[in-house]
Amino acid sequence: MMRILFPVVRHTDVSGLLAPLVRNMAKTFGAKIHVLRVEPLSDQYLAMRVKDAEAWLDGFIAKNFSACPVHKAPVVSGDPVQEILKYIDAQEIDCVVIGTHGRKGLSVLFGSVAKDIVGKSPVPVLSINPHRLTDAFKQRNAEYLARIMREETCNI
């Protein structure tokens, strides 16, 4: 069975916007989705943040992937790029779907993670900024996008 890694980000809507696409990819390819959350280091309250991230991740999976074969990876702490690359190797991941932001401030940090994963990953990476889809693209692909966004189950 193909394995798709979906590293998720809290405190932004990017992961939620990409979840329907990941569900559709899993259905199309008969894949199992691996959902991973990395809490960055350098926080004195790391244990509390990891526990909070675990609860958030449980809710995210229940909301977005309840009918799909999902492997919930334990929340790990560390450098996001290094932890994602380690996970790719350890779990023999076949493809990574990662969101980008293309914004300023803290989002630049997350965007650099996606850029580094694209450049360093040993497997194909699909990086998407859901906020940058143009109206022309949406119009050309309205039927396809509507089908993806409506898709609620994987039925694998």
Side-chain angles (χ1 to χ4, degrees):
M1 175 179 273
M2 182 180 184
R3 291 173 288 268
I4 297 172
L5 176 59
F6 184 38
V8 294
V9 178
R10 297 191 313 159
H11 311 300
T12 177
D13 59 348
V14 169
S15 296
L17 291 172
L18 293 179
L21 174 64
V22 175
R23 275 196 313 266
N24 192 55
M25 285 180 66
K27 179 180 179 182
T28 300
F29 296 111
K32 184 175 195 175
I33 303 163
H34 287 242
V35 181
L36 175 67
R37 169 69 193 143
V38 179
E39 284 293 320
L41 284 175
S42 75
D43 189 316
Q44 61 181 338
Y45 304 104
L46 187 59
M48 185 173 63
R49 284 184 55 180
V50 168
K51 184 177 178 182
D52 182 51
E54 288 281 353
W56 177 85
L57 192 56
D58 288 339
F60 182 84
I61 290 171
K63 178 181 177 183
N64 293 289
F65 300 109
S66 62
C68 298
V70 172
H71 173 78
K72 177 194 166 221
V75 172
V76 296
S77 61
D79 174 73
V81 174
Q82 293 306 313
E83 294 302 322
I84 291 169
L85 293 172
K86 280 194 245 179
Y87 192 88
I88 290 169
D89 288 338
Q91 298 296 319
E92 299 179 344
I93 296 298
D94 299 300
C95 176
V96 178
V97 177
I98 192 164
T100 64
H101 295 263
R103 298 188 208 152
K104 298 178 182 175
L106 287 177
S107 298
V108 172
L109 178 75
F110 297 117
S112 66
V113 170
K115 181 180 176 185
D116 284 350
I117 294 300
V118 167
K120 296 177 180 179
S121 175
V123 299
V125 178
L126 175 59
S127 64
I128 306 165
N129 180 339
H131 298 289
R132 298 290 180 173
L133 297 178
T134 65
D135 288 338
F137 174 84
K138 291 175 186 176
Q139 187 174 11
R140 284 193 312 270
N141 296 282
E143 183 179 329
Y144 172 72
L145 290 171
R147 185 169 46 87
I148 288 173
M149 299 311 281
R150 278 194 316 264
E151 189 60 51
E152 295 297 327
T153 62
C154 289
N155 296 327
I156 298 174

mmCIF file of all heavy atoms in Angstrom, residues 50-95:
data_model
loop_
_atom_site.group_PDB
_atom_site.id
_atom_site.type_symbol
_atom_site.label_atom_id
_atom_site.label_comp_id
_atom_site.label_asym_id
_atom_site.label_seq_id
_atom_site.Cartn_x
_atom_site.Cartn_y
_atom_site.Cartn_z
ATOM 1 N N VAL A 50 3.616 19.403 23.495
ATOM 2 C CA VAL A 50 3.449 18.119 22.813
ATOM 3 C C VAL A 50 2.103 17.504 23.187
ATOM 4 O O VAL A 50 1.378 17.001 22.323
ATOM 5 C CB VAL A 50 4.626 17.170 23.133
ATOM 6 C CG1 VAL A 50 4.315 15.752 22.673
ATOM 7 C CG2 VAL A 50 5.904 17.673 22.470
ATOM 8 N N LYS A 51 1.732 17.563 24.469
ATOM 9 C CA LYS A 51 0.440 17.019 24.899
ATOM 10 C C LYS A 51 -0.700 17.766 24.218
ATOM 11 O O LYS A 51 -1.660 17.153 23.736
ATOM 12 C CB LYS A 51 0.316 17.116 26.426
ATOM 13 C CG LYS A 51 -0.934 16.499 26.969
ATOM 14 C CD LYS A 51 -0.977 16.568 28.480
ATOM 15 C CE LYS A 51 -2.264 15.972 28.997
ATOM 16 N NZ LYS A 51 -2.371 16.069 30.439
ATOM 17 N N ASP A 52 -0.606 19.078 24.161
ATOM 18 C CA ASP A 52 -1.613 19.890 23.488
ATOM 19 C C ASP A 52 -1.667 19.562 21.989
ATOM 20 O O ASP A 52 -2.739 19.463 21.401
ATOM 21 C CB ASP A 52 -1.306 21.373 23.704
ATOM 22 C CG ASP A 52 -2.347 22.276 23.078
ATOM 23 O OD1 ASP A 52 -3.550 22.070 23.323
ATOM 24 O OD2 ASP A 52 -1.946 23.209 22.333
ATOM 25 N N ALA A 53 -0.504 19.370 21.379
ATOM 26 C CA ALA A 53 -0.440 19.033 19.954
ATOM 27 C C ALA A 53 -1.056 17.661 19.684
ATOM 28 O O ALA A 53 -1.692 17.447 18.647
ATOM 29 C CB ALA A 53 0.994 19.086 19.450
ATOM 30 N N GLU A 54 -0.865 16.710 20.614
ATOM 31 C CA GLU A 54 -1.479 15.377 20.465
ATOM 32 C C GLU A 54 -3.001 15.492 20.418
ATOM 33 O O GLU A 54 -3.652 14.884 19.575
ATOM 34 C CB GLU A 54 -1.062 14.461 21.617
ATOM 35 C CG GLU A 54 0.363 13.989 21.575
ATOM 36 C CD GLU A 54 0.598 12.841 20.601
ATOM 37 O OE1 GLU A 54 -0.368 12.300 20.022
ATOM 38 O OE2 GLU A 54 1.772 12.497 20.411
ATOM 39 N N ALA A 55 -3.560 16.278 21.337
ATOM 40 C CA ALA A 55 -5.013 16.463 21.367
ATOM 41 C C ALA A 55 -5.493 17.148 20.094
ATOM 42 O O ALA A 55 -6.516 16.764 19.503
ATOM 43 C CB ALA A 55 -5.413 17.276 22.601
ATOM 44 N N TRP A 56 -4.763 18.178 19.658
ATOM 45 C CA TRP A 56 -5.131 18.869 18.419
ATOM 46 C C TRP A 56 -5.087 17.909 17.234
ATOM 47 O O TRP A 56 -5.984 17.899 16.388
ATOM 48 C CB TRP A 56 -4.193 20.051 18.169
ATOM 49 C CG TRP A 56 -4.481 20.745 16.879
ATOM 50 C CD1 TRP A 56 -5.398 21.723 16.661
ATOM 51 C CD2 TRP A 56 -3.867 20.478 15.606
ATOM 52 N NE1 TRP A 56 -5.386 22.096 15.330
ATOM 53 C CE2 TRP A 56 -4.461 21.342 14.668
ATOM 54 C CE3 TRP A 56 -2.882 19.594 15.185
ATOM 55 C CZ2 TRP A 56 -4.093 21.341 13.327
ATOM 56 C CZ3 TRP A 56 -2.517 19.602 13.850
ATOM 57 C CH2 TRP A 56 -3.126 20.470 12.933
ATOM 58 N N LEU A 57 -4.037 17.089 17.171
ATOM 59 C CA LEU A 57 -3.876 16.155 16.060
ATOM 60 C C LEU A 57 -5.001 15.119 16.035
ATOM 61 O O LEU A 57 -5.515 14.787 14.967
ATOM 62 C CB LEU A 57 -2.506 15.472 16.155
ATOM 63 C CG LEU A 57 -2.047 14.675 14.949
ATOM 64 C CD1 LEU A 57 -2.040 15.524 13.686
ATOM 65 C CD2 LEU A 57 -0.655 14.102 15.205
ATOM 66 N N ASP A 58 -5.408 14.620 17.201
ATOM 67 C CA ASP A 58 -6.540 13.683 17.266
ATOM 68 C C ASP A 58 -7.791 14.324 16.667
ATOM 69 O O ASP A 58 -8.496 13.704 15.873
ATOM 70 C CB ASP A 58 -6.812 13.261 18.711
ATOM 71 C CG ASP A 58 -5.757 12.321 19.267
ATOM 72 O OD1 ASP A 58 -5.041 11.668 18.475
ATOM 73 O OD2 ASP A 58 -5.636 12.248 20.508
ATOM 74 N N GLY A 59 -8.060 15.570 17.040
ATOM 75 C CA GLY A 59 -9.223 16.272 16.499
ATOM 76 C C GLY A 59 -9.111 16.537 15.012
ATOM 77 O O GLY A 59 -10.089 16.398 14.272
ATOM 78 N N PHE A 60 -7.919 16.905 14.556
ATOM 79 C CA PHE A 60 -7.692 17.165 13.135
ATOM 80 C C PHE A 60 -7.949 15.908 12.312
ATOM 81 O O PHE A 60 -8.619 15.946 11.277
ATOM 82 C CB PHE A 60 -6.257 17.666 12.915
ATOM 83 C CG PHE A 60 -5.947 18.002 11.481
ATOM 84 C CD1 PHE A 60 -6.278 19.242 10.969
ATOM 85 C CD2 PHE A 60 -5.329 17.072 10.654
ATOM 86 C CE1 PHE A 60 -6.008 19.549 9.646
ATOM 87 C CE2 PHE A 60 -5.053 17.370 9.333
ATOM 88 C CZ PHE A 60 -5.399 18.617 8.818
ATOM 89 N N ILE A 61 -7.447 14.776 12.777
ATOM 90 C CA ILE A 61 -7.638 13.511 12.053
ATOM 91 C C ILE A 61 -9.111 13.115 12.059
ATOM 92 O O ILE A 61 -9.656 12.722 11.026
ATOM 93 C CB ILE A 61 -6.747 12.409 12.643
ATOM 94 C CG1 ILE A 61 -5.277 12.706 12.319
ATOM 95 C CG2 ILE A 61 -7.151 11.038 12.119
ATOM 96 C CD1 ILE A 61 -4.281 11.811 13.031
ATOM 97 N N ALA A 62 -9.773 13.230 13.212
ATOM 98 C CA ALA A 62 -11.193 12.876 13.288
ATOM 99 C C ALA A 62 -12.026 13.738 12.333
ATOM 100 O O ALA A 62 -12.929 13.235 11.670
ATOM 101 C CB ALA A 62 -11.694 13.035 14.724
ATOM 102 N N LYS A 63 -11.704 15.014 12.251
ATOM 103 C CA LYS A 63 -12.468 15.927 11.395
ATOM 104 C C LYS A 63 -12.200 15.695 9.914
ATOM 105 O O LYS A 63 -13.115 15.756 9.098
ATOM 106 C CB LYS A 63 -12.103 17.371 11.741
ATOM 107 C CG LYS A 63 -12.798 18.404 10.883
ATOM 108 C CD LYS A 63 -12.368 19.807 11.255
ATOM 109 C CE LYS A 63 -13.005 20.839 10.335
ATOM 110 N NZ LYS A 63 -12.535 22.186 10.633
ATOM 111 N N ASN A 64 -10.960 15.415 9.548
ATOM 112 C CA ASN A 64 -10.587 15.389 8.138
ATOM 113 C C ASN A 64 -10.371 14.014 7.528
ATOM 114 O O ASN A 64 -10.416 13.870 6.312
ATOM 115 C CB ASN A 64 -9.308 16.219 7.939
ATOM 116 C CG ASN A 64 -9.533 17.674 8.192
ATOM 117 O OD1 ASN A 64 -10.186 18.349 7.412
ATOM 118 N ND2 ASN A 64 -9.028 18.188 9.310
ATOM 119 N N PHE A 65 -10.116 12.999 8.340
ATOM 120 C CA PHE A 65 -9.752 11.693 7.785
ATOM 121 C C PHE A 65 -10.464 10.524 8.461
ATOM 122 O O PHE A 65 -9.930 9.418 8.505
ATOM 123 C CB PHE A 65 -8.235 11.487 7.889
ATOM 124 C CG PHE A 65 -7.437 12.526 7.152
ATOM 125 C CD1 PHE A 65 -6.706 13.486 7.838
ATOM 126 C CD2 PHE A 65 -7.421 12.557 5.773
ATOM 127 C CE1 PHE A 65 -5.977 14.445 7.170
ATOM 128 C CE2 PHE A 65 -6.701 13.513 5.087
ATOM 129 C CZ PHE A 65 -5.975 14.457 5.785
ATOM 130 N N SER A 66 -11.658 10.740 8.972
ATOM 131 C CA SER A 66 -12.337 9.692 9.730
ATOM 132 C C SER A 66 -12.614 8.437 8.909
ATOM 133 O O SER A 66 -12.648 7.335 9.446
ATOM 134 C CB SER A 66 -13.638 10.224 10.329
ATOM 135 O OG SER A 66 -14.523 10.632 9.299
ATOM 136 N N ALA A 67 -12.796 8.570 7.615
ATOM 137 C CA ALA A 67 -13.126 7.406 6.773
ATOM 138 C C ALA A 67 -11.934 6.914 5.962
ATOM 139 O O ALA A 67 -12.103 6.129 5.040
ATOM 140 C CB ALA A 67 -14.283 7.763 5.846
ATOM 141 N N CYS A 68 -10.732 7.366 6.294
ATOM 142 C CA CYS A 68 -9.542 7.008 5.530
ATOM 143 C C CYS A 68 -8.589 6.172 6.375
ATOM 144 O O CYS A 68 -8.535 6.336 7.585
ATOM 145 C CB CYS A 68 -8.786 8.265 5.087
ATOM 146 S SG CYS A 68 -9.729 9.341 4.012
ATOM 147 N N PRO A 69 -7.815 5.316 5.723
ATOM 148 C CA PRO A 69 -6.765 4.621 6.469
ATOM 149 C C PRO A 69 -5.663 5.610 6.830
ATOM 150 O O PRO A 69 -5.007 6.152 5.958
ATOM 151 C CB PRO A 69 -6.266 3.542 5.514
ATOM 152 C CG PRO A 69 -6.822 3.873 4.171
ATOM 153 C CD PRO A 69 -7.897 4.888 4.340
ATOM 154 N N VAL A 70 -5.543 5.891 8.123
ATOM 155 C CA VAL A 70 -4.597 6.898 8.596
ATOM 156 C C VAL A 70 -3.694 6.294 9.657
ATOM 157 O O VAL A 70 -4.136 5.538 10.519
ATOM 158 C CB VAL A 70 -5.343 8.111 9.203
ATOM 159 C CG1 VAL A 70 -4.382 9.069 9.875
ATOM 160 C CG2 VAL A 70 -6.139 8.829 8.141
ATOM 161 N N HIS A 71 -2.423 6.636 9.565
ATOM 162 C CA HIS A 71 -1.476 6.315 10.626
ATOM 163 C C HIS A 71 -1.142 7.629 11.309
ATOM 164 O O HIS A 71 -0.549 8.505 10.700
ATOM 165 C CB HIS A 71 -0.199 5.677 10.069
ATOM 166 C CG HIS A 71 0.843 5.486 11.110
ATOM 167 N ND1 HIS A 71 0.790 4.454 12.003
ATOM 168 C CD2 HIS A 71 1.932 6.215 11.428
ATOM 169 C CE1 HIS A 71 1.832 4.536 12.818
ATOM 170 N NE2 HIS A 71 2.534 5.608 12.488
ATOM 171 N N LYS A 72 -1.577 7.757 12.571
ATOM 172 C CA LYS A 72 -1.256 8.967 13.327
ATOM 173 C C LYS A 72 0.115 8.765 13.950
ATOM 174 O O LYS A 72 0.300 7.934 14.831
ATOM 175 C CB LYS A 72 -2.284 9.223 14.413
ATOM 176 C CG LYS A 72 -1.947 10.435 15.256
ATOM 177 C CD LYS A 72 -2.782 10.456 16.516
ATOM 178 C CE LYS A 72 -2.150 11.462 17.450
ATOM 179 N NZ LYS A 72 -2.127 11.005 18.814
ATOM 180 N N ALA A 73 1.068 9.514 13.465
ATOM 181 C CA ALA A 73 2.407 9.449 14.034
ATOM 182 C C ALA A 73 2.392 10.160 15.378
ATOM 183 O O ALA A 73 1.650 11.122 15.554
ATOM 184 C CB ALA A 73 3.411 10.111 13.096
ATOM 185 N N PRO A 74 3.199 9.712 16.325
ATOM 186 C CA PRO A 74 3.272 10.466 17.578
ATOM 187 C C PRO A 74 3.854 11.846 17.311
ATOM 188 O O PRO A 74 4.701 12.001 16.430
ATOM 189 C CB PRO A 74 4.208 9.633 18.456
ATOM 190 C CG PRO A 74 4.895 8.686 17.548
ATOM 191 C CD PRO A 74 4.079 8.564 16.300
ATOM 192 N N VAL A 75 3.379 12.829 18.045
ATOM 193 C CA VAL A 75 3.937 14.167 17.915
ATOM 194 C C VAL A 75 5.384 14.092 18.390
ATOM 195 O O VAL A 75 5.674 13.526 19.432
ATOM 196 C CB VAL A 75 3.146 15.192 18.749
ATOM 197 C CG1 VAL A 75 3.839 16.545 18.762
ATOM 198 C CG2 VAL A 75 1.726 15.323 18.212
ATOM 199 N N VAL A 76 6.287 14.629 17.591
ATOM 200 C CA VAL A 76 7.701 14.617 17.958
ATOM 201 C C VAL A 76 8.178 16.057 18.109
ATOM 202 O O VAL A 76 7.593 16.975 17.558
ATOM 203 C CB VAL A 76 8.569 13.871 16.914
ATOM 204 C CG1 VAL A 76 8.188 12.401 16.856
ATOM 205 C CG2 VAL A 76 8.446 14.494 15.542
ATOM 206 N N SER A 77 9.246 16.214 18.867
ATOM 207 C CA SER A 77 9.824 17.545 19.017
ATOM 208 C C SER A 77 11.183 17.557 18.341
ATOM 209 O O SER A 77 11.853 16.534 18.258
ATOM 210 C CB SER A 77 9.960 17.907 20.493
ATOM 211 O OG SER A 77 10.818 17.001 21.136
ATOM 212 N N GLY A 78 11.548 18.694 17.839
ATOM 213 C CA GLY A 78 12.836 18.826 17.185
ATOM 214 C C GLY A 78 12.764 19.751 15.998
ATOM 215 O O GLY A 78 11.788 20.472 15.810
ATOM 216 N N ASP A 79 13.791 19.701 15.198
ATOM 217 C CA ASP A 79 13.823 20.493 13.975
ATOM 218 C C ASP A 79 12.841 19.873 12.985
ATOM 219 O O ASP A 79 12.995 18.694 12.620
ATOM 220 C CB ASP A 79 15.244 20.498 13.402
ATOM 221 C CG ASP A 79 15.289 21.187 12.061
ATOM 222 O OD1 ASP A 79 15.181 22.418 12.020
ATOM 223 O OD2 ASP A 79 15.438 20.467 11.043
ATOM 224 N N PRO A 80 11.828 20.624 12.535
ATOM 225 C CA PRO A 80 10.817 20.033 11.652
ATOM 226 C C PRO A 80 11.391 19.364 10.405
ATOM 227 O O PRO A 80 10.964 18.263 10.038
ATOM 228 C CB PRO A 80 9.925 21.225 11.292
ATOM 229 C CG PRO A 80 10.059 22.144 12.454
ATOM 230 C CD PRO A 80 11.492 22.008 12.895
ATOM 231 N N VAL A 81 12.349 19.987 9.744
ATOM 232 C CA VAL A 81 12.907 19.409 8.520
ATOM 233 C C VAL A 81 13.576 18.069 8.824
ATOM 234 O O VAL A 81 13.318 17.060 8.151
ATOM 235 C CB VAL A 81 13.899 20.384 7.842
ATOM 236 C CG1 VAL A 81 14.590 19.715 6.660
ATOM 237 C CG2 VAL A 81 13.177 21.645 7.394
ATOM 238 N N GLN A 82 14.417 18.043 9.828
ATOM 239 C CA GLN A 82 15.134 16.810 10.162
ATOM 240 C C GLN A 82 14.174 15.703 10.605
ATOM 241 O O GLN A 82 14.345 14.543 10.223
ATOM 242 C CB GLN A 82 16.181 17.072 11.256
ATOM 243 C CG GLN A 82 17.315 17.971 10.800
ATOM 244 C CD GLN A 82 17.985 17.460 9.526
ATOM 245 O OE1 GLN A 82 18.309 16.287 9.398
ATOM 246 N NE2 GLN A 82 18.175 18.362 8.575
ATOM 247 N N GLU A 83 13.166 16.069 11.394
ATOM 248 C CA GLU A 83 12.212 15.058 11.872
ATOM 249 C C GLU A 83 11.359 14.507 10.729
ATOM 250 O O GLU A 83 11.071 13.318 10.680
ATOM 251 C CB GLU A 83 11.329 15.627 12.984
ATOM 252 C CG GLU A 83 12.087 15.970 14.247
ATOM 253 C CD GLU A 83 12.833 14.789 14.856
ATOM 254 O OE1 GLU A 83 12.308 13.656 14.827
ATOM 255 O OE2 GLU A 83 13.955 15.004 15.363
ATOM 256 N N ILE A 84 10.963 15.359 9.803
ATOM 257 C CA ILE A 84 10.180 14.894 8.646
ATOM 258 C C ILE A 84 11.039 13.984 7.774
ATOM 259 O O ILE A 84 10.589 12.909 7.341
ATOM 260 C CB ILE A 84 9.619 16.088 7.847
ATOM 261 C CG1 ILE A 84 8.544 16.811 8.668
ATOM 262 C CG2 ILE A 84 9.071 15.639 6.495
ATOM 263 C CD1 ILE A 84 8.117 18.157 8.100
ATOM 264 N N LEU A 85 12.280 14.351 7.523
ATOM 265 C CA LEU A 85 13.176 13.511 6.720
ATOM 266 C C LEU A 85 13.434 12.167 7.396
ATOM 267 O O LEU A 85 13.452 11.123 6.723
ATOM 268 C CB LEU A 85 14.490 14.246 6.437
ATOM 269 C CG LEU A 85 14.375 15.470 5.520
ATOM 270 C CD1 LEU A 85 15.700 16.225 5.475
ATOM 271 C CD2 LEU A 85 13.914 15.086 4.126
ATOM 272 N N LYS A 86 13.605 12.165 8.710
ATOM 273 C CA LYS A 86 13.780 10.900 9.447
ATOM 274 C C LYS A 86 12.543 10.024 9.301
ATOM 275 O O LYS A 86 12.645 8.815 9.112
ATOM 276 C CB LYS A 86 14.034 11.164 10.937
ATOM 277 C CG LYS A 86 15.438 11.541 11.274
ATOM 278 C CD LYS A 86 15.636 11.427 12.789
ATOM 279 C CE LYS A 86 15.899 12.762 13.382
ATOM 280 N NZ LYS A 86 16.086 12.753 14.832
ATOM 281 N N TYR A 87 11.376 10.647 9.399
ATOM 282 C CA TYR A 87 10.120 9.898 9.303
ATOM 283 C C TYR A 87 9.956 9.289 7.913
ATOM 284 O O TYR A 87 9.506 8.150 7.780
ATOM 285 C CB TYR A 87 8.928 10.812 9.632
ATOM 286 C CG TYR A 87 7.649 10.047 9.836
ATOM 287 C CD1 TYR A 87 7.317 9.553 11.085
ATOM 288 C CD2 TYR A 87 6.786 9.793 8.774
ATOM 289 C CE1 TYR A 87 6.151 8.831 11.274
ATOM 290 C CE2 TYR A 87 5.628 9.073 8.951
ATOM 291 C CZ TYR A 87 5.310 8.590 10.206
ATOM 292 O OH TYR A 87 4.161 7.855 10.379
ATOM 293 N N ILE A 88 10.324 10.032 6.888
ATOM 294 C CA ILE A 88 10.241 9.514 5.518
ATOM 295 C C ILE A 88 11.028 8.215 5.403
ATOM 296 O O ILE A 88 10.533 7.222 4.861
ATOM 297 C CB ILE A 88 10.751 10.564 4.505
ATOM 298 C CG1 ILE A 88 9.776 11.734 4.408
ATOM 299 C CG2 ILE A 88 10.982 9.937 3.126
ATOM 300 C CD1 ILE A 88 10.320 12.937 3.640
ATOM 301 N N ASP A 89 12.248 8.213 5.918
ATOM 302 C CA ASP A 89 13.089 7.009 5.851
ATOM 303 C C ASP A 89 12.562 5.889 6.736
ATOM 304 O O ASP A 89 12.458 4.746 6.304
ATOM 305 C CB ASP A 89 14.535 7.347 6.244
ATOM 306 C CG ASP A 89 15.261 8.147 5.182
ATOM 307 O OD1 ASP A 89 14.847 8.097 4.002
ATOM 308 O OD2 ASP A 89 16.235 8.837 5.528
ATOM 309 N N ALA A 90 12.231 6.208 7.980
ATOM 310 C CA ALA A 90 11.813 5.179 8.940
ATOM 311 C C ALA A 90 10.525 4.484 8.521
ATOM 312 O O ALA A 90 10.373 3.278 8.718
ATOM 313 C CB ALA A 90 11.651 5.796 10.330
ATOM 314 N N GLN A 91 9.586 5.224 7.940
ATOM 315 C CA GLN A 91 8.282 4.659 7.579
ATOM 316 C C GLN A 91 8.169 4.294 6.100
ATOM 317 O O GLN A 91 7.093 3.921 5.641
ATOM 318 C CB GLN A 91 7.170 5.635 7.965
ATOM 319 C CG GLN A 91 7.091 5.901 9.450
ATOM 320 C CD GLN A 91 6.733 4.663 10.238
ATOM 321 O OE1 GLN A 91 5.884 3.874 9.828
ATOM 322 N NE2 GLN A 91 7.392 4.466 11.372
ATOM 323 N N GLU A 92 9.267 4.426 5.368
ATOM 324 C CA GLU A 92 9.278 4.115 3.934
ATOM 325 C C GLU A 92 8.143 4.831 3.197
ATOM 326 O O GLU A 92 7.360 4.231 2.458
ATOM 327 C CB GLU A 92 9.229 2.608 3.705
ATOM 328 C CG GLU A 92 10.428 1.893 4.305
ATOM 329 C CD GLU A 92 10.387 0.389 4.123
ATOM 330 O OE1 GLU A 92 9.304 -0.166 3.807
ATOM 331 O OE2 GLU A 92 11.431 -0.234 4.308
ATOM 332 N N ILE A 93 8.089 6.139 3.402
ATOM 333 C CA ILE A 93 7.064 6.985 2.787
ATOM 334 C C ILE A 93 7.318 7.062 1.290
ATOM 335 O O ILE A 93 8.460 7.125 0.837
ATOM 336 C CB ILE A 93 7.089 8.389 3.442
ATOM 337 C CG1 ILE A 93 6.715 8.315 4.925
ATOM 338 C CG2 ILE A 93 6.214 9.377 2.680
ATOM 339 C CD1 ILE A 93 5.326 7.798 5.211
ATOM 340 N N ASP A 94 6.236 7.075 0.505
ATOM 341 C CA ASP A 94 6.334 7.120 -0.950
ATOM 342 C C ASP A 94 6.163 8.531 -1.523
ATOM 343 O O ASP A 94 6.622 8.817 -2.628
ATOM 344 C CB ASP A 94 5.271 6.207 -1.571
ATOM 345 C CG ASP A 94 5.458 4.769 -1.141
ATOM 346 O OD1 ASP A 94 6.530 4.202 -1.415
ATOM 347 O OD2 ASP A 94 4.536 4.220 -0.498
ATOM 348 N N CYS A 95 5.469 9.407 -0.800
ATOM 349 C CA CYS A 95 5.155 10.741 -1.299
ATOM 350 C C CYS A 95 4.859 11.646 -0.106
ATOM 351 O O CYS A 95 4.313 11.183 0.891
ATOM 352 C CB CYS A 95 3.934 10.664 -2.214
ATOM 353 S SG CYS A 95 3.328 12.241 -2.823
#
